[in-house]
Structures are given as C-alpha cells and as structure tokens.
Amino acid sequence: PPVAIVTPAAAAAATLQGSAMSARETTAYETVLKIGDRWKMRGGKPGEAEVMEGADEVGKQTYLLGQQLFTAEMWKECQRPLRAAAALLMHEPEIQGAACHFLGCAYFHENNKIQCGRNQKLMLFAAGAFQSAAAARLALDPSGPRRVQGVKDATGSLLFLGKVLMDMDNYRDSERVHLQALEISRDVLGDKAEETQQCLQAMMGLRSKMRAMQGAIGSAR
C-alpha cells in the first residue's frame, strides 16, 4: 500500500521549531526516509516504473520538505528527505535531478560550513550527488520541450561536480568533467550561451590553479 507521510509543512515546522510529531507521523516519516537510506544513488530515466505504489506523490512531498529545510540552511537535516525524494522519483528525472543537485549542495555546505572543509567523505557524497543530478537531467527526451532546460541544469550540476573534484585535488577528473560540460553546452546551447561562457570561465580557473600547483611543486624540488 502507499506510504502515508506527514505534510512537508508540518514536518518542516516540527524540525525547525524542535517540536515533536505524533507517533504515527514519526513512524510514517521515518519509513519514507529509510527508503533513501537504502538507495544506491544514480540518475533516473523517463518511463521507469515507480519504485512503489504512491511513489510519485510521496516523493514530491518529501522533495518539498527537503527544499524547505535546505532553504533554512539546515544542511544536515535536509539530506535524508532529499535522498528519499531522489530514490522515489527515478521515473521523474527532471525533479529527481533537482533533488540530487540540492543534496550535493547540502553535503558541500555541511563540509565547508560545519566541518571546516575537512570531511572527505562528505565531498565524495557531494560528487556522487552532482553526478547523479547531471545524469538524470541529461536523460530527458532530446526532442522534448524540456531538453534545453535539462541541458542548462545538467551543465550546472557538472560544473559543481568539477568544483568538488578540484577541491579534492583530483585535477584530472575535474578537467574531464569541465570539458564534458563545455561540450554539452556548446552542442545544445551554442557558443554564446551564458552556460557555455560559465564553462569556459570555470575551465580557465581550473587550469590557472593547475599551473599554480605545478609551479609550487617545481619550486619545492
């Protein structure tokens, strides 16, 4: 049967105010979150079967909750709802891609604003989330009306992925991802598109940092 869940507004209010939900609401909420806990992150595709009856409604409710907690800068608290939403909305890659992207940002902000940039595990989680977001957004029908927006969003996710890899000193993979974003943006949006220019700027920044690192290594020898 479909899983019942407390409304996003009620769950967000309870989390933000530190108040308690009823036992029934708490049980339903935890049941949904455990779906995300067990999920192996990957991008969905149009036409995939729903993972369970009622997945669409519950997934969208959970996504809205994750958004609200993210907006409140509750980086840790928003992660489980967003992950559950991504797991439930494999059949809706546009929304799933957004959930994965928010999730990647949440991991990134938790690491930088709470863990002082020292948690490598969170950076790996962020990289996986941005990679899944890009895959979902690129899975949209090439001839469909949302294709262009999907490419714009996917380009953004790839640039975030490249940033995370660069911060992890993985310059080789970061350069590969930046090039992928640039090629996709050029092919679909054109050389003059804002997204293409952002890719070029990001690539210049990456290569400048790579040169600086190579210079530092050379000076140390």
Side-chain angles (χ1 to χ4, degrees):
V3 178
I5 183 172
V6 62
T7 64
T15 306
L16 290 166
Q17 297 169 12
S19 57
M21 294 184 286
S22 70
R24 180 176 179 276
E25 289 174 332
T26 300
T27 300
Y29 182 51
E30 188 64 25
T31 299
V32 171
L33 295 186
K34 285 181 178 177
I35 295 171
D37 294 341
R38 296 189 296 265
W39 177 61
K40 185 176 180 180
M41 194 175 295
R42 67 181 179 87
K45 296 179 180 179
E48 283 199 23
E50 292 188 23
V51 298
M52 69 178 200
E53 184 182 351
D56 190 76
E57 180 181 357
V58 175
K60 288 174 181 176
Q61 291 272 317
T62 313
Y63 172 62
L64 289 173
L65 169 59
Q67 271 190 316
Q68 290 181 41
L69 297 175
F70 183 92
T71 301
E73 298 186 0
M74 301 181 73
W75 311 125
K76 295 178 68 174
E77 292 81 359
C78 72
Q79 290 167 18
R80 291 184 75 202
L82 288 170
R83 191 176 178 93
L88 290 164
L89 295 171
M90 296 286 291
H91 61 289
E92 288 272 11
E94 186 171 8
I95 304 175
Q96 193 224 16
C100 288
H101 189 90
F102 276 119
L103 181 60
C105 291
Y107 288 136
F108 183 85
H109 288 315
E110 182 190 352
N111 181 52
N112 285 284
K113 297 184 178 182
I114 300 175
Q115 304 290 337
C116 300
R118 295 190 297 263
N119 194 319
Q120 195 80 352
K121 188 175 180 180
L122 284 172
M123 293 297 277
L124 289 171
F125 286 166
F130 287 131
Q131 185 174 18
S132 296
R137 288 165 159 177
L138 291 172
L140 296 176
D141 183 357
S143 61
R146 300 296 296 168
R147 172 62 171 174
V148 170
Q149 187 60 50
V151 168
K152 289 181 178 181
D153 293 339
T155 299
S157 294
L158 288 170
L159 289 180
F160 269 93
L161 173 57
K163 162 68 174 169
V164 170
L165 293 170
M166 183 176 69
D167 288 350
M168 295 171 66
D169 296 330
N170 187 348
Y171 296 108
R172 181 177 180 180
D173 285 340
S174 179
E175 185 175 33
R176 175 183 56 79
V177 169
H178 277 83
L179 283 171
Q180 181 187 5
L182 178 60
E183 290 171 1
I184 291 170
S185 185
R186 272 180 166 164
D187 288 347
V188 178
L189 308 175
D191 287 338
K192 295 182 179 180
E194 180 181 354
E195 290 74 16
T196 303
Q197 296 304 309
Q198 290 172 349
C199 290
L200 288 169
Q201 291 173 6
M203 178 65 75
M204 290 172 61
L206 170 64
R207 289 182 170 166
S208 176
K209 187 168 184 179
M210 291 171 68
R211 286 193 296 270
M213 288 293 294
Q214 290 168 352
I217 293 171
S219 299
R221 289 176 178 171

